[in-house]
Amino acid sequence: MWRVKRRSLCQLLTLYIFITPFLLNFLQFFLHIPGIVKYTLDIAWIIILFCMIFVKKQFVYKNILPVVVFCLAYFLYVSVVYIFQYQSIFFFFWGIRNNMRYFVAFFAFVYFLDKEDVAFCLKFIDVLFIVHVIVSLFQFFVLGYKWDYLGGIFGTQLGCNGNSMILIVIVCAKSLLMYMHGRERLIISLTKCSSALIIAAMAEL
């Protein structure tokens, strides 16, 4: 029987941060959703950061302590640089936002997601890639888009193929790693990587 897993607010926000960047261009280009929707990601990671600091307590293992120390040192370095480089407090916080949100997202994945959530994310990427390949082939052979204008689910505006390249790298890396660990058949891995290379060639990546 199919069931919906109950998740906390922080888990839902973490999944939102993971899924939304893949869909933003589609929502804006095809469904004409206002671009301001991307700033909901900032609201999400601020709430998550608050939860990690003040709500959920997490033990830090010694083997990942250097990573935590590096991120904290990097945060202090960036803060000091922006304090001396910019006079405007707005530019200071905007710089912190641009440099720190990826670290917050990374730790949120470790902090709040379990194995079932990770499996869901991996499955989501696979399904998204299949849709991306189909849309890209349609754009290339039917609509005539190519090179920098061939973006699949990421649209057909100039430079959209950059987002396609990121998805291709993620899919190929994930597929090869899963094959090497015996969690994916060779034929499936080859199919994914071959499809990725075909899309990359059509988009001049």
Side-chain angles (χ1 to χ4, degrees), residues 23-63:
L23 304 179
L24 269 179
N25 282 53
F26 173 81
L27 294 174
Q28 295 178 23
F29 185 82
F30 294 103
L31 302 182
H32 304 291
I33 300 297
I36 196 173
V37 71
K38 64 184 178 182
Y39 295 111
T40 59
L41 291 167
D42 295 322
I43 298 174
W45 75 257
I46 289 174
I47 295 174
I48 288 174
L49 180 62
F50 176 84
C51 291
M52 286 193 292
I53 295 175
F54 299 106
V55 179
K56 185 176 176 64
K57 304 299 180 182
Q58 185 82 353
F59 177 77
V60 178
Y61 292 98
K62 290 183 179 180
N63 59 338

Side-chain angles (χ1 to χ4, degrees), residues 129 132 136 140 146-152 154 157-170 172 193 195-205:
F129 180 67
H132 178 66
S136 296
F140 185 83
K146 56 185 178 180
W147 304 331
D148 290 347
Y149 294 92
L150 181 63
F154 301 107
Q157 68 274 26
L158 180 64
C160 58
N161 60 340
N163 295 320
S164 181
M165 179 177 65
I166 295 174
L167 179 60
I168 286 173
V169 170
I170 293 173
C172 289
C193 293
S195 301
L197 290 175
I198 292 172
I199 299 302
M202 294 190 302
E204 260 195 349
L205 296 175

